[in-house]
Structures are given as structure tokens and as C-alpha cells.
């Protein structure tokens, strides 16, 4: 099987500062993007990372757990950081690696690389991780505690949205940082397992929204909007996620 090499961007698109995949959502998005690309082109994908995207312990753990969710993606970490994209690609080329970067149609200032948003049209609905976990008979997963306050909402709006699912007979299973269950707070594999069996995922534009894209169809992802609108949120709406104002 052929192999595609994708260089995860070294710098942010909007400002000339390092892109370090700071959040779980960033890392989940990169892995899902690679998986969808490989699925579309029937190839394995290697993601090439600068060292600032990998070095911290929590990043190493989450990269490993995320990669365990998909069959066709691996990573390679390089001991450099902060390069302009042309220099980053040249660095890889000098090592004999013909890699490509990517752009998104939702960000007009991104001009180089292959257009990545097209691969998200249909989500993969992956099988669940092979673990055992006690879950309610009918439930939705939920996360509203983004580390970015501009993506969060107030309790009244949150409870109003959750009540719509409670009226349908769904229990609410909180995942991520606010969960009182250690596995559903800290283990990507347990969160992923729960998401697979959930009726839907409900939350804000944050890490769990990205993880839900591994397991749910777009119309099963409900997002409570806030002050900040990311290109991920625009894409989700365009492809069928349900946004709640």
C-alpha cells in the first residue's frame, strides 16, 4: 500500500507564531484528517511533527491513544521547531521525505498544500475500542468545559440544550475535564467507546467535539455556539452538524 507523508504545519495560519497542537482537539483533528485522507486514497499516512507538538508527557499519551483509534496513521517526530512552512518541507525533503502541507477552504489566507476540508464531508463512524465499560441504555455524551472561555456558554443555555435530550429519554454522560468518572475524564479510549454507543454528542467547539467526529455522523453532533467561531465550527455546520445559538 502506498504511503502519504503529511507535514503538520509548523506555524499558525493567522499569525506568525508556532502551532504546537496545544489542545487535545488539535491532535484529534490531525489524526482524523490523516485517517480520512488515507481512506479516500487507499493509503497509509505518516504525520510529521515538529518536536513542540510532542514533547510534553500528556501530548505523548494522547497521540498514542488517538493513533490506536485508527488503522492507517502513524507519526514521526523531528527535533526542530518554529520553521516557516517552506523551510519545514525542505527540511523533510533533505531527509528524503516528500511531504505535503494542507490548507482549508474555510481559511482564505491559506494558499499552499492540498485542500483538507473536502475529506470531512462524510465522517468514518469507526468501530469502538475493544474495552468493557458500563454505560446507560440510552444516553448522549456531553462536554461544555473548553479551556478557552470564548467557546463556553452559560449554565442556563447548557441545561436548556440538555433538557431537549432528557425529554427524549437520554441520560447525560459527561466526558472530558468535568466528568466525575476518572476513565471518562482521562482515558481517550473510554471516552471514544462511550461516544460510539451514544445517541449523539452535545457540547461546545472543543476537544470532545473533534473526538466525536471519529464515531458519530455530522447530524449526531450538536454544538452550543459562543463568542468565538473557529474554522472547525464553520466546517461542522457546512457538513451537517447541528448548531444551537
Amino acid at each position: 500500500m502506498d504511503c502519504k507523508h503529511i507535514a503538520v504545519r509548523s506555524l499558525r495560519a493567522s499569525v506568525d507564531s508556532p502551532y504546537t497542537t496545544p489542545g487535545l482537539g488539535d491532535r484529534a483533528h490531525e489524526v482524523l484528517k490523516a485517517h480520512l485522507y488515507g481512506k479516500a486514497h487507499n493509503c497509509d499516512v505518516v504525520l510529521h511533527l515538529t518536536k513542540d507538538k510532542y514533547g510534553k508527557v500528556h501530548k505523548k499519551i494522547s497521540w498514542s491513544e488517538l493513533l490506536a483509534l485508527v488503522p492507517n496513521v502513524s507519526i514521526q517526530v523531528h527535533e526542530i521547531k518554529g520553521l516557516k512552512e517552506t523551510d519545514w518541507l525542505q527540511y523533510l525533503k533533505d531527509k528524503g521525505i516528500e511531504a505535503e502541507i494542507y490548507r482549508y477552504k474555510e481559511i482564505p489566507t491559506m494558499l499552499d498544500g492540498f485542500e483538507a476540508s473536502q475529506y470531512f464531508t462524510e465522517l468514518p463512524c469507526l468501530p469502538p475500542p475493544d474495552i468493557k465499560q458500563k454505560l446507560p441504555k440510552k444516553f448522549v455524551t456531553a462536554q461544555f468545559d473548553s479551556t478557552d472561555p470564548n467557546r463556553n456558554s452559560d449554565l442556563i443555555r447548557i441545561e436548556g440544550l440538555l433538557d431537549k435530550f432528557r425529554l427524549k429519554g437520554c441520560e447525560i454522560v459527561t466526558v472530558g475535564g468535568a466528568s466525575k468518572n476518572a476513565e471518562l475524564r482521562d482515558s481517550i479510549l473510554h471516552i471514544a467507546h462511550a461516544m460510539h454507543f451514544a445517541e449523539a454528542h452535545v457540547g461546545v467547539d472543543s476537544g470532545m467535539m473533534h473526538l466525536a467526529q471519529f464515531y458519530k455522523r455530522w447530524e449526531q453532533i450538536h454544538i452550543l455556539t459562543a463568542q468565538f467561531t473557529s474554522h472547525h465550527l464553520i466546517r461542522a455546520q457546512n457538513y451537517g452538524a447541528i448548531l444551537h445559538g
Side-chain angles (χ1 to χ4, degrees), residues 100-119:
E100 193 172 3
I101 56 173
Y102 47 84
R103 58 186 171 85
Y104 300 106
K105 62 185 179 183
E106 296 87 1
I107 307 178
T109 55
M110 268 185 157
L111 303 176
D112 300 325
F114 67 88
E115 202 290 301
S117 292
Q118 62 183 304
Y119 297 104

Side-chain angles (χ1 to χ4, degrees), residues 162-180:
L162 292 179
D163 280 345
K164 294 179 181 180
F165 292 93
R166 293 186 180 108
L167 288 171
K168 297 177 181 179
C170 294
E171 294 187 41
I172 309 301
V173 174
T174 301
V175 294
S179 179
K180 295 179 181 179

Side-chain angles (χ1 to χ4, degrees), residues 35-171:
H35 170 69
L36 291 170
Y37 183 100
K39 186 178 178 183
H41 295 279
N42 192 30
C43 66
D44 290 333
V45 176
V46 180
L47 286 173
H48 293 270
L49 313 177
T50 53
K51 66 179 182 179
D52 50 356
K53 297 173 179 61
Y54 186 75
K56 295 181 179 179
V57 173
H58 74 278
K59 290 187 179 184
K60 292 178 180 178
I61 292 171
S62 61
W63 278 115
S64 177
E65 289 187 314
L66 289 165
L67 291 169
L69 304 178
V70 296
N72 58 346
V73 183
S74 60
I75 63 172
Q76 186 172 340
V77 183
H78 301 268
E79 288 297 314
I80 50 90
K81 64 179 182 178
L83 297 179
K84 292 183 178 180
E85 305 312 330
T86 52
D87 295 333
W88 174 210
L89 292 176
Q90 186 61 51
Y91 169 90
L92 293 171
K93 189 172 184 178
D94 291 344
K95 288 183 169 292
I97 301 167
E98 292 292 337
E100 193 172 3
I101 56 173
Y102 47 84
R103 58 186 171 85
Y104 300 106
K105 62 185 179 183
E106 296 87 1
I107 307 178
T109 55
M110 268 185 157
L111 303 176
D112 300 325
F114 67 88
E115 202 290 301
S117 292
Q118 62 183 304
Y119 297 104
F120 287 83
T121 305
E122 185 176 343
L123 296 176
C125 297
L126 292 167
D130 186 18
I131 59 174
K132 292 183 178 180
Q133 183 175 205
K134 187 176 181 180
L135 294 165
K137 185 175 181 180
K138 186 177 182 180
F139 68 98
V140 297
T141 55
Q143 184 224 8
F144 293 95
D145 63 327
S146 172
T147 56
D148 180 356
N150 290 320
R151 301 179 191 231
N152 288 335
S153 188
D154 60 86
L155 186 59
I156 292 175
R157 292 179 68 221
I158 291 170
E159 287 301 315
L161 177 55
L162 292 179
D163 280 345
K164 294 179 181 180
F165 292 93
R166 293 186 180 108
L167 288 171
K168 297 177 181 179
C170 294
E171 294 187 41

Side-chain angles (χ1 to χ4, degrees), residues 125-129 133 135 139 141 189-200 211-212 214-216 220:
C125 297
L126 292 167
Q133 183 175 205
L135 294 165
F139 68 98
T141 55
L189 297 182
H190 286 81
I191 295 169
H193 183 266
M195 286 179 166
H196 174 85
F197 290 103
E199 299 291 317
L211 191 57
F214 287 63
Y215 297 100
K216 310 318 296 177
Q220 293 175 299

Side-chain angles (χ1 to χ4, degrees), residues 5 19 133 142:
H5 294 270
Y19 173 50
Q133 183 175 205

